[in-house]
Amino acid sequence: MPYILKNNKIDKRYEEKFFEIVRENLPDEKIELFNNLLSLKSEIINKFLSDVKNGEESLKPREKTKFDEILSLVFSVRRHKNKILNTVDIDVLNNSFKFLADSKKSVEIRMGRFLEAFLYEDVIVKRDIALEILHFYEPQKNVLWTSWVYRQDNGTGCLPYMADFLKRTWDGNPYIMPFSIKEMKDEVDYLYELSGKNGFYLKRPYGADILLSYMYSDYIYKMVYAESKSLSVGVPEGFTLMKKLLGIERLELSGKGLETAG
């Protein structure tokens, strides 16, 4: 079965129009702001995992607060955050995140050990935490793959939406496939390649994150608008939705990312 994006034929007309629209709606100054805020998010997560890994005494008086802050950076788990903090023991949290900080192990091993150690019943939530934290801990090595990007179990997310938008040929087989982390990296690498070919040069390591969040915010708005034009009035504008998806809107609201963003 083919990848969702890679190795599928594109209708050239839709491909060119797609990136023309993206270029119009994602100006350079907005991309720069997003890159700065995402870089700041990486700094925060790196500091946190370094403290967890080294057993910093400074974490102990405020451990729950620090875990609260880190979980707040993962959009798809925020509604689970309070339940996690109320039901998962602090030692379990520390031990689980130590596995993610172990750079000597492969990403697959680290994620597997985290999922086993993190005693919470929702596997999708645990997986989203692990993969998002790993991405921002080592953004040059690990790609962003949370459930809003693509869910394996039901084939939803912005990757299938993007594939439909580009009008790729479809032979009747479903897009769903048992993605590995390597295969998702191949998809993201292809996204950089496809964007560059169409004059939209994404800067690694966060360029794909920005484009994916743009696509999913577009999807959310159109779904709500199709359901009810009046309801769509209450939907945040696109850049606000993107910041929420990427878990960085609170960094900007607090002013932490604005100095570096110019």
Side-chain angles (χ1 to χ4, degrees), residues 192-243:
Y192 280 106
E193 177 188 329
L194 187 64
S195 299
K197 189 177 73 172
N198 285 275
F200 186 63
Y201 300 100
L202 297 171
K203 183 180 177 181
R204 292 178 184 266
Y206 306 117
D209 304 1
I210 297 168
L211 179 56
L212 289 168
S213 68
Y214 167 79
M215 284 304 302
Y216 202 66
S217 65
D218 180 76
Y219 168 76
I220 291 172
Y221 183 83
K222 286 178 178 174
M223 287 294 290
V224 174
Y225 190 83
E227 188 70 25
S228 168
K229 292 182 181 179
S230 60
L231 282 177
S232 67
V233 174
V235 177
E237 54 87 25
F239 291 117
T240 300
L241 278 172
M242 289 170 65
K243 290 168 191 168

Side-chain angles (χ1 to χ4, degrees), residues 48 52 58-72 80-94 97 118-119:
F48 169 75
V52 168
S58 60
L59 266 182
K60 291 186 178 178
R62 53 194 176 91
E63 281 177 315
K64 284 284 186 179
T65 301
K66 288 303 295 181
F67 283 108
D68 187 314
E69 292 173 2
I70 294 302
L71 293 175
S72 295
H80 294 264
K81 183 184 66 173
N82 289 338
K83 186 176 180 181
I84 290 171
L85 294 174
N86 289 331
T87 60
V88 181
D89 185 82
I90 193 68
D91 289 332
V92 171
L93 290 171
N94 270 310
F97 279 89
F118 197 94
L119 302 177

Side-chain angles (χ1 to χ4, degrees), residues 95-152:
N95 290 334
S96 302
F97 279 89
K98 280 181 182 178
F99 288 125
L100 298 183
D102 187 1
S103 299
K104 294 181 180 179
K105 300 290 191 301
S106 71
V107 63
E108 291 85 358
I109 289 175
R110 291 149 75 185
M111 187 176 79
R113 291 180 176 175
F114 175 88
L115 294 178
E116 184 178 3
F118 197 94
L119 302 177
Y120 190 69
E121 70 274 12
D122 194 318
V123 175
I124 297 295
V125 168
K126 296 198 295 184
R127 189 175 172 281
D128 277 1
I129 294 170
L131 287 174
E132 182 147 347
I133 295 299
L134 284 166
H135 170 57
F136 286 100
Y137 183 48
E138 299 167 327
Q140 298 288 354
K141 291 173 57 178
N142 305 318
V143 298
L144 181 64
W145 182 12
T146 47
S147 52
W148 64 264
V149 174
Y150 179 66
R151 271 188 66 160
Q152 296 165 294

